[in-house]
Amino acid sequence: MTTTSELPVFFCHGVPGCPQDGSLLDAQGRTVVAPNLFDVSGQAPLTALLDMFDTTVADSGQHSFHVVGFSIGAMAALRLAAARPEQVAKVTVVSPAAPLSLGDFLPGMAGAPVFKLAMKRPSVLRLMTAAQGLLARKAPGVLINQLFAKCGAQERALLKDASFVACLKAGMRNSFGQHRDGYLAYLAAYVHDWGAEMAQVQAPVEIWHGDKDTWAPLAMAEALNEVLSAPCALNVVPEGEHYSTLQAVRLS
């Protein structure tokens, strides 16, 4: 019998982000499938995600997967688990951005202005991401400095790592340039209420969250821990931030 520690991983990257986010996860030698979530081809994000997952299951010959979601990728992971309970054996969410309906989280989120635009002024957000796409091509360092303006010591240390910076640049190109429509579709899906689907998650869930995260406050992880009816474990990473917590994860 296969245990969850032996299962292949289906990785849902961040928003912004790209499949290379999965390189920051220590998968302990497991097979990791990391699709480009923004390659939606005009479909709704969840529909495209389910197609990607179903194809992965069929091609792999595996009956079930351990699904890992990072940041807003946690939304993808949890909604996938709700929709495919027989194929998702376990869920791990890292630095999760929980449904906004679960609490007054926006004041503590570095990305609050983006989410507010997604809710109320999506046309302005589209223009803003076009400008970010130009920066991602011409001056990615400027964009990185903007995105990490409120980060702490652990993220600043990561920004000295060339491989981490390369991952960030790939994520910015993917989100603001190559697959901007998919990125915007994921933001729109995130800010609409998806909290009711949490009751449909049957697989056990493990949450990893840093207590110094300025992108997604720790209160989001605590709210998910309370609302999920499936077995749930919360791991708080001392001094952990958004990306540094992804590196701290130990899958079980």
Side-chain angles (χ1 to χ4, degrees):
M1 180 177 177
T2 302
T3 65
T4 56
S5 63
E6 300 171 317
L7 289 173
V9 171
F10 187 88
F11 182 81
C12 301
H13 62 72
V15 182
C18 65
Q20 287 94 314
D21 288 355
S23 67
L24 303 176
L25 175 72
D26 182 0
Q28 290 105 48
R30 303 186 207 186
T31 298
V32 177
V33 178
N36 191 339
L37 300 185
F38 302 153
D39 190 10
V40 298
S41 301
Q43 296 177 298
L46 181 59
T47 301
L49 173 66
L50 293 177
D51 284 350
M52 293 173 187
F53 182 71
D54 291 344
T55 298
T56 297
V57 172
D59 290 348
S60 69
Q62 296 283 338
H63 176 70
S64 57
F65 274 74
H66 183 160
V67 176
V68 178
F70 170 60
S71 192
I72 294 180
M75 173 187 71
L78 290 166
R79 296 182 73 182
L80 174 56
R84 294 290 187 268
E86 294 184 358
Q87 283 78 44
V88 177
K90 184 171 182 179
V91 180
T92 297
V93 292
V94 186
S95 309
L100 295 176
S101 59
L102 297 184
D104 185 23
F105 303 126
L106 277 177
M109 301 179 76
V114 172
F115 301 132
K116 290 176 181 178
L117 287 176
M119 286 185 279
K120 298 179 180 179
R121 304 188 71 184
S123 60
V124 175
L125 179 60
R126 177 170 288 276
L127 289 173
M128 186 181 82
T129 54
Q132 289 175 314
L134 181 62
L135 280 176
R137 292 195 306 274
K138 303 295 186 180
V142 173
L143 189 53
I144 289 173
N145 289 337
Q146 290 177 354
L147 293 174
F148 284 82
K150 296 184 179 181
C151 75
Q154 290 195 4
E155 295 314 50
R156 286 196 298 271
L158 279 177
L159 289 172
K160 297 177 182 178
D161 183 330
S163 62
F164 176 69
V165 173
C167 179
L168 289 180
K169 290 179 178 178
M172 292 187 302
R173 292 192 299 269
N174 187 52
S175 305
F176 306 136
Q178 298 156 345
H179 292 91
R180 184 159 60 105
D181 287 345
Y183 166 71
L184 291 169
Y186 259 87
L187 285 178
Y190 175 68
V191 299
H192 286 83
D193 188 11
W194 48 280
E197 294 177 50
M198 298 304 91
Q200 300 168 34
V201 176
Q202 298 178 23
V205 179
E206 191 164 3
I207 304 171
W208 289 74
H209 211 108
D211 62 7
K212 300 298 184 184
D213 195 328
T214 58
W215 294 51
L218 178 59
M220 286 188 147
E222 294 169 340
L224 277 177
N225 191 38
E226 289 293 325
V227 76
L228 285 163
S229 56
C232 190
L234 172 59
N235 302 293
V236 178
V237 180
E239 303 300 315
E241 298 179 59
H242 205 63
Y243 284 90
S244 61
T245 295
L246 180 57
Q247 292 193 318
V249 169
R250 296 295 175 265
L251 296 180
S252 59

